[in-house]
PDB file of all heavy atoms in Angstrom:
ATOM      1  N   LEU A  40     -14.946 -75.043 -93.660  1.00  0.00           N
ATOM      2  CA  LEU A  40     -13.729 -74.563 -94.308  1.00  0.00           C
ATOM      3  C   LEU A  40     -12.808 -75.721 -94.676  1.00  0.00           C
ATOM      4  O   LEU A  40     -12.118 -75.674 -95.705  1.00  0.00           O
ATOM      5  CB  LEU A  40     -13.003 -73.574 -93.389  1.00  0.00           C
ATOM      6  CG  LEU A  40     -13.692 -72.223 -93.176  1.00  0.00           C
ATOM      7  CD1 LEU A  40     -12.952 -71.408 -92.110  1.00  0.00           C
ATOM      8  CD2 LEU A  40     -13.767 -71.440 -94.483  1.00  0.00           C
ATOM      9  N   TRP A  42     -13.710 -78.758 -95.593  1.00  0.00           N
ATOM     10  CA  TRP A  42     -14.223 -79.375 -96.814  1.00  0.00           C
ATOM     11  C   TRP A  42     -13.943 -78.486 -98.024  1.00  0.00           C
ATOM     12  O   TRP A  42     -13.658 -78.990 -99.120  1.00  0.00           O
ATOM     13  CB  TRP A  42     -15.718 -79.655 -96.681  1.00  0.00           C
ATOM     14  CG  TRP A  42     -15.996 -80.943 -95.977  1.00  0.00           C
ATOM     15  CD1 TRP A  42     -16.366 -81.118 -94.682  1.00  0.00           C
ATOM     16  CD2 TRP A  42     -15.903 -82.258 -96.543  1.00  0.00           C
ATOM     17  NE1 TRP A  42     -16.513 -82.457 -94.392  1.00  0.00           N
ATOM     18  CE2 TRP A  42     -16.248 -83.187 -95.517  1.00  0.00           C
ATOM     19  CE3 TRP A  42     -15.576 -82.752 -97.812  1.00  0.00           C
ATOM     20  CZ2 TRP A  42     -16.251 -84.563 -95.727  1.00  0.00           C
ATOM     21  CZ3 TRP A  42     -15.588 -84.124 -98.024  1.00  0.00           C
ATOM     22  CH2 TRP A  42     -15.916 -85.013 -96.995  1.00  0.00           C
ATOM     23  N   GLY A  51     -10.641 -84.794-107.170  1.00  0.00           N
ATOM     24  CA  GLY A  51     -11.974 -85.390-107.192  1.00  0.00           C
ATOM     25  C   GLY A  51     -12.853 -85.030-106.025  1.00  0.00           C
ATOM     26  O   GLY A  51     -14.049 -85.348-106.018  1.00  0.00           O
ATOM     27  N   MET A 130     -12.920 -56.446 -83.021  1.00  0.00           N
ATOM     28  CA  MET A 130     -13.449 -55.611 -81.944  1.00  0.00           C
ATOM     29  C   MET A 130     -14.130 -56.463 -80.881  1.00  0.00           C
ATOM     30  O   MET A 130     -13.942 -56.240 -79.674  1.00  0.00           O
ATOM     31  CB  MET A 130     -14.435 -54.599 -82.526  1.00  0.00           C
ATOM     32  CG  MET A 130     -13.798 -53.573 -83.452  1.00  0.00           C
ATOM     33  SD  MET A 130     -15.018 -52.573 -84.345  1.00  0.00           S
ATOM     34  CE  MET A 130     -15.889 -51.800 -82.985  1.00  0.00           C
ATOM     35  N   ASN A 280      -7.723 -78.648 -91.515  1.00  0.00           N
ATOM     36  CA  ASN A 280      -7.329 -77.481 -92.309  1.00  0.00           C
ATOM     37  C   ASN A 280      -5.812 -77.338 -92.375  1.00  0.00           C
ATOM     38  O   ASN A 280      -5.262 -76.944 -93.409  1.00  0.00           O
ATOM     39  CB  ASN A 280      -7.954 -76.214 -91.730  1.00  0.00           C
ATOM     40  CG  ASN A 280      -9.405 -76.028 -92.130  1.00  0.00           C
ATOM     41  OD1 ASN A 280      -9.718 -75.742 -93.276  1.00  0.00           O
ATOM     42  ND2 ASN A 280     -10.317 -76.209 -91.172  1.00  0.00           N
ATOM     43  N   LEU A 301     -10.409 -85.844 -91.783  1.00  0.00           N
ATOM     44  CA  LEU A 301     -11.599 -85.050 -92.092  1.00  0.00           C
ATOM     45  C   LEU A 301     -12.858 -85.909 -92.045  1.00  0.00           C
ATOM     46  O   LEU A 301     -13.897 -85.474 -91.536  1.00  0.00           O
ATOM     47  CB  LEU A 301     -11.462 -84.395 -93.465  1.00  0.00           C
ATOM     48  CG  LEU A 301     -12.676 -83.588 -93.950  1.00  0.00           C
ATOM     49  CD1 LEU A 301     -12.998 -82.463 -92.973  1.00  0.00           C
ATOM     50  CD2 LEU A 301     -12.428 -83.040 -95.345  1.00  0.00           C
TER      51      LEU A 301
END
Side-chain angles (χ1 to χ4, degrees):
L40 291 173
W42 276 101
M130 294 170 60
N280 280 289
L301 177 59

